Amino acid sequence: MLYFPTITLDRSGSTSLSSQIAVRLRSSILLGEVRSGESLPSTRALAAVLGISRGSVVTAYDQLSGEGYLVSTQGAPTRVAVLLRGDPYQKPPSSVAASSRGQDTDLIDLTPGYPSTHRLSGPSWSAAWRTAAARPIPHTEPPLQGTRALRIKIAEHLRHARGVLCAAEDIVVTAGTSEALALVALALGESRRSGAQPESEPIPAPVVAVETPGYPAAARVLRRLGAILLPIPVEPDGMPTTILEDQASPPDAVLVTPSHQYPLGGRLPVDARLRLLRWAGHHNAWVLEDDYDSEFRHVGPPLPALASLDTDGRVVLIGSFSKILTPWLRLGYIVMPERQAVRAALLAVRRDLPCPVSGVLQDAATELLATGAVRRHIAAVRRDYAHRRNLVLDALSNHAGTTLTALDGGLHAVLEVTDQATARAAVRELLNRGIRVVNLETYSALPDGAAVPAGLVFGYAASTDTGLARALGHIREVTTRRY
Amino acid sequence: MLYFPTITLDRSGSTSLSSQIAVRLRSSILLGEVRSGESLPSTRALAAVLGISRGSVVTAYDQLSGEGYLVSTQGAPTRVAVLLRGDPYQKPPSSVAASSRGQDTDLIDLTPGYPSTHRLSGPSWSAAWRTAAARPIPHTEPPLQGTRALRIKIAEHLRHARGVLCAAEDIVVTAGTSEALALVALALGESRRSGAQPESEPIPAPVVAVETPGYPAAARVLRRLGAILLPIPVEPDGMPTTILEDQASPPDAVLVTPSHQYPLGGRLPVDARLRLLRWAGHHNAWVLEDDYDSEFRHVGPPLPALASLDTDGRVVLIGSFSKILTPWLRLGYIVMPERQAVRAALLAVRRDLPCPVSGVLQDAATELLATGAVRRHIAAVRRDYAHRRNLVLDALSNHAGTTLTALDGGLHAVLEVTDQATARAAVRELLNRGIRVVNLETYSALPDGAAVPAGLVFGYAASTDTGLARALGHIREVTTRRY
């Protein structure tokens, strides 16, 4: 069956035609106007009907394919994906073989997660701090949720960069992702505290499902704040909701990295997203979306945040400026969902643990966002990272016995190798040569690195081009050896 | 018996003669070279023996009397106080009667705890931020304990301002007192976790003794982080160690404000300090010293911190720049004691909850300390506060039916009134007139404001002189009425 969408275009130019088509098609799919498996018209036919260039339709189809709403197969019509069922999507990356050479030693730190900051200093940076320092100095703490001016600018940034429609009232400024997770862990406890229970009673520990492999710092802070972790082994596309559905006692929350699974790099397809939200709704669980590096997408347009699909008000979006600017700033945010119980719990905790972010930093960040410095910086480093990513691809794709993954977005890569012995020996040998990369098994939330493929994780953003090129040669060399 | 101390003076001028005498006498007393109740030589005799002016000896004796080491009685020789026993000290303040008048309305916020910031903006402030913003921008998080440069400067500040000898290694930079208390509460939990226990087991809740009345924000953050509070009603001098000694199951920690009890203003005499430290040593408890406003002492020299008496390595000193500069900065510190178990627990928590303080703020604060801007600012506002304090004394000492207290140091005053009905009516009526003060009963950590005298608490630092003068007239007026 062929579905022919009714699309009314606004040609005033405020939104691109491709984006209008994508929005309309996405909502048709979500609203059930078009069913899983149905075919769409060819790009040429739809463009002709709408009286626009074919390129806009191709862009819209590509975006929805990237998001998992559509499936394109060479030589067959584009179809609506089988949502809320099966696994209609390809695994992300690639593998293969070749050769190269590294030289020398000099400590090159490729610990993942760090951005490049050399373009950050400059007139806009200095001006932002100068403006912030010139403001009259209040004698109070900053507002609990952060200054209103900063929250307005963060909401604007999220609308443009992440497709998240939120208002200043929805935002809580944080000192970064760890601080945000501490707040959320305590808020989960708060929401579990029964009204009748006396205050001095210990709060029952909340259970949080986490991805494994996953972000070890997140696991540490959640555990430190008293949460009990339920590690869920991820599949190539991300968190498998089936395992959540199989839990006899469902967790209180699930922490996911749907846009770019950390560290494996998968992206959660839209059917899995909907299924996750449905599961959460059924069990009254919170969905914690750690949107840690989604501003940097190298293949296809950035995916909208999971929070943008959330019609039920239970996705807590956690973001930071650590990757966009630098973790040296210690600045992030939570976008609270609609659900009143979630908001009340988060704000109750914030009243007891007041905003730790300096008002001067908040003012400076407001300036950086308002003057467009953040946007320009992202555009500039995105080009840098695309170039570095190509260096990684050139050196390590087609490298026998390994699989290079996680490169569709973000600032790091994963090189899967044949076995743990090889991974461990490679990390050790690289360190001997003055190069720091991380063993993928350290990202496991299970004992002994279980449920994690053998591999190396390394960041390619923070080093210099020459340092990176040299390190890549060594990585290739040590993973070619037999250990 | 007369004790004649052997004192060797260093006349190079690096330390004042009076300070050298005080240091020597204090350690003689603490070391037991001189006993409780023994007489000291007259100031004239000691000055003659040492070959110095009598003024230096008078200053030293006054300081030690203020700290509770010595007792002077008119017409009798100065004696060493009866330490670790009884209560050889006078209650701090005063009372009496009179009349005045206030006019007008306009919101005047006398919420206690806020400093004056109008002298803070200026060339040194701007220069510090300019310098911080001009530094190369690291791509990592700030170091877990804070930057070394800042910690060196904080240690210097504490040595000069608070008599605390510590090194950069002892300091953990925090986002202020609440953040510090969160860290400490979790560290107490960490230290209680038995080695054998699996990580997923909930940590037993630590019990923390707190002063009542006390700092409500501290109680909230401790409770939020899972601590169970044991409220101890304070006596005029501060925390009565006797009540701690009477506990069947002693608390894991005790939170005290020994230099200037918050909010009542008492200062813990040296015998009570020693007794508290002895109790803590006996029960392996932590002593948490909240040293929140000790840089501002209006009567006598500032008291050395309790931490400076701690030979057993168990006092965790918690301080901030909120009163010295502004809480808008969100900057504070912990000074870790010698004891390895305490340090290990604090640092283990800091590894999971990394430093939330922006590196740029840390660099700017380093500049403010290094250039002497902080020292100059303290000196300047100290004069302002002394003047404001005189306005308070002029308006409210000798005010029938009330007792004005807490004015020996800090930025706030307490006006005790006859009963709770009067206090409540006065707070309400002042709010009607556009003046915000706080009811003393809200500082109780017990239900229904128990164990707290009836009174009003108000800050005199943040308002203007004219605003304060007007508010004081109204305070006098509403507390004269019969309700």
Side-chain angles (χ1 to χ4, degrees):
Chain A
M1 186 182 158
L2 177 71
Y3 171 72
F4 218 99
T6 320
I7 299 177
T8 312
L9 295 173
D10 166 12
R11 287 159 200 266
S12 71
S14 64
T15 314
S16 74
L17 296 174
S18 65
S19 168
Q20 293 180 53
I21 296 168
V23 166
R24 178 73 185 90
L25 280 175
R26 195 190 290 116
S27 64
S28 300
I29 296 168
L30 290 171
L31 292 169
E33 295 177 10
V34 50
R35 304 279 189 76
S36 298
E38 285 193 81
S39 303
L40 290 187
S42 70
T43 52
R44 191 182 308 272
L46 185 55
V49 168
L50 295 173
I52 60 176
S53 80
R54 189 177 155 225
S56 298
V57 181
V58 170
T59 303
Y61 278 28
D62 282 351
Q63 178 168 345
L64 293 176
S65 298
E67 293 173 23
Y69 288 93
L70 300 180
V71 183
S72 324
T73 318
Q74 193 66 26
T78 299
R79 290 172 182 280
V80 176
V82 182
L83 298 179
L84 291 178
R85 220 166 298 159
D87 166 26
Y89 310 105
Q90 307 77 350
K91 321 238 154 125
S94 52
S95 71
V96 216
S99 124
S100 137
R101 267 204 56 83
Q103 303 91 329
D104 208 300
T105 49
D106 230 23
L107 185 67
I108 304 174
D109 190 351
L110 302 187
T111 303
Y114 295 122
S116 166
T117 53
H118 76 281
R119 290 188 189 278
L120 202 50
S121 17
S124 335
W125 175 262
S126 316
W129 289 101
R130 194 166 54 240
T131 305
R135 292 200 51 208
I137 307 165
H139 61 254
T140 57
E141 298 86 2
L144 287 181
Q145 286 183 242
T147 68
R148 190 168 166 74
L150 175 57
R151 289 183 285 124
I152 288 171
K153 290 297 157 196
I154 290 175
E156 280 175 16
H157 167 77
L158 287 172
R159 192 157 58 243
H160 294 132
R162 303 293 301 121
V164 175
L165 293 176
C166 61
E169 287 66 38
D170 304 325
I171 289 177
V172 178
V173 174
T174 70
T177 297
S178 290
E179 206 266 323
L181 287 168
L183 196 63
V184 168
L186 292 171
L188 276 166
E190 167 77 18
S191 75
R192 277 172 68 91
R193 195 204 311 250
S194 97
Q197 208 165 8
E199 278 215 357
S200 59
E201 286 290 300
I203 299 168
V207 178
V208 181
V210 297
E211 301 167 334
T212 183
Y215 184 39
R220 283 207 309 274
V221 66
L222 290 171
R223 204 182 272 135
R224 173 64 67 187
L225 272 297
I228 294 168
L229 301 190
L230 173 68
I232 309 277
V234 295
E235 292 179 354
D237 288 333
M239 168 75 80
T241 314
T242 42
I243 301 187
L244 291 174
E245 289 162 351
D246 289 346
Q247 296 298 316
S249 52
D252 301 292
V254 52
L255 173 64
V256 286
T257 50
S259 299
H260 191 223
Q261 200 277 329
Y262 192 76
L264 294 183
R267 88 187 145 182
L268 200 65
V270 71
D271 66 332
R273 291 174 182 227
L274 293 171
R275 191 163 173 170
L276 179 62
L277 293 175
R278 184 174 295 183
W279 170 86
H282 198 262
H283 295 287
N284 196 25
W286 296 15
V287 177
L288 315 177
E289 177 175 20
D290 180 3
D291 198 47
Y292 67 104
D293 70 1
S294 311
E295 284 86 355
F296 300 110
R297 188 84 207 161
H298 309 302
V299 175
L303 293 179
L306 177 58
S308 67
L309 283 182
D310 176 26
T311 54
D312 193 28
R314 53 179 71 257
V315 176
V316 179
L317 179 70
I318 298 170
S320 86
F321 291 92
S322 292
K323 304 288 183 293
I324 306 176
L325 302 174
T326 166
W328 187 250
L329 272 191
R330 306 280 76 206
L331 185 66
Y333 51 84
I334 288 172
V335 183
M336 298 188 289
E338 294 280 337
R339 194 163 286 271
Q340 204 45 47
V342 181
R343 297 172 86 98
L346 285 165
L347 295 176
V349 174
R350 202 37 136 196
R351 272 189 289 277
D352 294 345
L353 264 85
C355 179
V357 181
S358 179
V360 183
L361 167 59
Q362 295 192 50
D363 288 344
T366 305
E367 281 297 304
L368 288 170
L369 287 161
T371 58
V374 171
R375 195 171 28 76
R376 288 192 304 273
H377 179 72
I378 292 175
V381 292
R382 193 181 274 150
R383 287 190 295 274
D384 293 345
Y385 296 162
H387 171 63
R388 300 254 172 88
R389 177 176 172 273
N390 283 335
L391 294 179
V392 175
L393 285 168
D394 288 350
L396 296 175
S397 59
N398 305 344
H399 176 30
T402 68
T403 308
L404 184 64
T405 70
L407 279 164
D408 288 355
L411 320 178
H412 76 274
V414 172
L415 188 68
E416 293 184 19
V417 297
T418 46
D419 52 63
Q420 287 298 355
T422 303
R424 286 175 202 161
V427 169
R428 210 167 33 238
E429 174 59 21
L430 285 168
L431 208 54
N432 286 339
R433 301 184 183 193
I435 296 158
R436 193 192 307 280
V437 304
V438 179
N439 192 326
L440 184 53
E441 71 182 333
T442 63
Y443 293 82
S444 175
L446 291 165
D448 306 323
V452 173
L456 314 180
V457 186
F458 58 94
Y460 55 81
S463 57
T464 60
D465 277 9
T466 50
L468 178 64
R470 201 188 316 157
L472 289 169
H474 285 286
I475 291 172
R476 186 174 177 92
E477 209 174 78
V478 302
T479 50
T480 299
R481 288 205 197 170
R482 295 259 132 248
Y483 292 93
Chain B
M1 188 182 157
L2 177 71
Y3 171 72
F4 218 100
T6 319
I7 299 178
T8 312
L9 294 172
D10 166 11
R11 287 158 200 269
S12 70
S14 64
T15 314
S16 75
L17 296 174
S18 63
S19 167
Q20 292 180 53
I21 296 168
V23 165
R24 178 73 183 91
L25 280 176
R26 194 190 290 117
S27 65
S28 300
I29 296 168
L30 290 171
L31 292 169
E33 294 177 10
V34 50
R35 302 279 189 78
S36 299
E38 285 192 78
S39 303
L40 290 187
S42 69
T43 51
R44 191 182 309 272
L46 185 55
V49 167
L50 295 174
I52 60 176
S53 80
R54 191 177 155 225
S56 298
V57 181
V58 170
T59 303
Y61 277 29
D62 282 352
Q63 178 168 347
L64 293 176
S65 298
E67 294 174 21
Y69 288 93
L70 300 180
V71 183
S72 323
T73 319
Q74 194 66 26
T78 298
R79 290 171 181 280
V80 176
V82 182
L83 298 180
L84 290 178
R85 220 165 300 160
D87 166 27
Y89 310 105
Q90 306 78 351
K91 320 235 155 128
S94 51
S95 69
V96 217
S99 126
S100 136
R101 267 204 57 84
Q103 304 90 331
D104 207 302
T105 48
D106 229 23
L107 185 67
I108 305 173
D109 190 352
L110 302 187
T111 303
Y114 295 121
S116 165
T117 52
H118 76 280
R119 291 187 189 278
L120 202 50
S121 17
S124 334
W125 175 263
S126 316
W129 289 101
R130 194 166 52 241
T131 305
R135 293 199 51 208
I137 306 165
H139 61 254
T140 57
E141 297 86 3
L144 287 182
Q145 285 183 243
T147 69
R148 190 168 165 74
L150 176 57
R151 289 183 286 123
I152 289 171
K153 289 298 158 196
I154 290 175
E156 280 175 16
H157 167 77
L158 287 172
R159 192 156 59 244
H160 293 132
R162 303 292 301 120
V164 175
L165 293 175
C166 62
E169 288 66 39
D170 304 325
I171 289 177
V172 178
V173 173
T174 70
T177 297
S178 290
E179 206 266 322
L181 286 168
L183 196 62
V184 169
L186 292 171
L188 276 165
E190 166 77 19
S191 75
R192 278 171 68 92
R193 197 204 310 250
S194 98
Q197 209 166 6
E199 278 216 356
S200 59
E201 285 291 300
I203 300 168
V207 178
V208 181
V210 297
E211 301 167 334
T212 184
Y215 184 39
R220 282 206 309 273
V221 65
L222 290 170
R223 205 183 272 134
R224 173 64 66 186
L225 272 297
I228 293 168
L229 301 191
L230 173 67
I232 309 277
V234 295
E235 291 178 354
D237 287 333
M239 168 75 79
T241 313
T242 43
I243 300 186
L244 291 174
E245 289 162 350
D246 289 347
Q247 298 296 317
S249 52
D252 301 292
V254 52
L255 173 64
V256 286
T257 50
S259 298
H260 191 223
Q261 200 277 327
Y262 192 77
L264 293 183
R267 89 186 144 184
L268 201 64
V270 70
D271 65 331
R273 292 173 182 228
L274 293 171
R275 191 163 172 171
L276 178 62
L277 293 175
R278 183 174 296 180
W279 169 86
H282 198 262
H283 295 286
N284 195 27
W286 297 15
V287 177
L288 315 177
E289 177 176 20
D290 180 4
D291 198 46
Y292 67 103
D293 70 0
S294 311
E295 284 86 356
F296 300 110
R297 188 83 205 163
H298 310 302
V299 175
L303 292 179
L306 177 57
S308 68
L309 284 182
D310 176 27
T311 54
D312 194 27
R314 54 180 72 256
V315 176
V316 179
L317 179 70
I318 297 170
S320 86
F321 291 92
S322 293
K323 304 288 183 293
I324 306 177
L325 301 174
T326 167
W328 186 251
L329 273 190
R330 305 281 75 205
L331 184 65
Y333 50 83
I334 288 171
V335 183
M336 298 188 289
E338 292 281 336
R339 193 163 288 271
Q340 205 45 48
V342 181
R343 298 172 85 99
L346 285 165
L347 295 176
V349 175
R350 202 38 135 195
R351 272 189 289 277
D352 293 346
L353 265 85
C355 180
V357 181
S358 179
V360 182
L361 167 59
Q362 296 192 50
D363 288 344
T366 305
E367 281 296 305
L368 288 170
L369 287 161
T371 58
V374 171
R375 195 170 29 74
R376 288 192 303 275
H377 179 72
I378 292 175
V381 292
R382 193 182 274 148
R383 287 190 295 274
D384 294 345
Y385 297 160
H387 170 64
R388 301 254 171 89
R389 177 177 171 272
N390 284 334
L391 295 179
V392 175
L393 285 168
D394 288 350
L396 297 175
S397 58
N398 305 343
H399 176 30
T402 68
T403 307
L404 184 65
T405 70
L407 279 163
D408 288 356
L411 320 177
H412 76 275
V414 173
L415 187 68
E416 293 184 19
V417 296
T418 47
D419 52 63
Q420 287 297 355
T422 303
R424 287 176 202 161
V427 169
R428 210 167 33 237
E429 173 59 22
L430 285 168
L431 208 54
N432 286 341
R433 300 184 184 193
I435 296 158
R436 194 192 306 281
V437 304
V438 179
N439 192 327
L440 184 53
E441 70 182 333
T442 63
Y443 293 82
S444 176
L446 291 164
D448 306 324
V452 173
L456 313 181
V457 186
F458 58 93
Y460 55 80
S463 57
T464 60
D465 278 8
T466 50
L468 177 64
R470 199 187 319 156
L472 290 169
H474 285 285
I475 291 172
R476 187 175 176 93
E477 209 173 78
V478 302
T479 50
T480 300
R481 289 206 197 169
R482 295 261 132 245
Y483 290 93

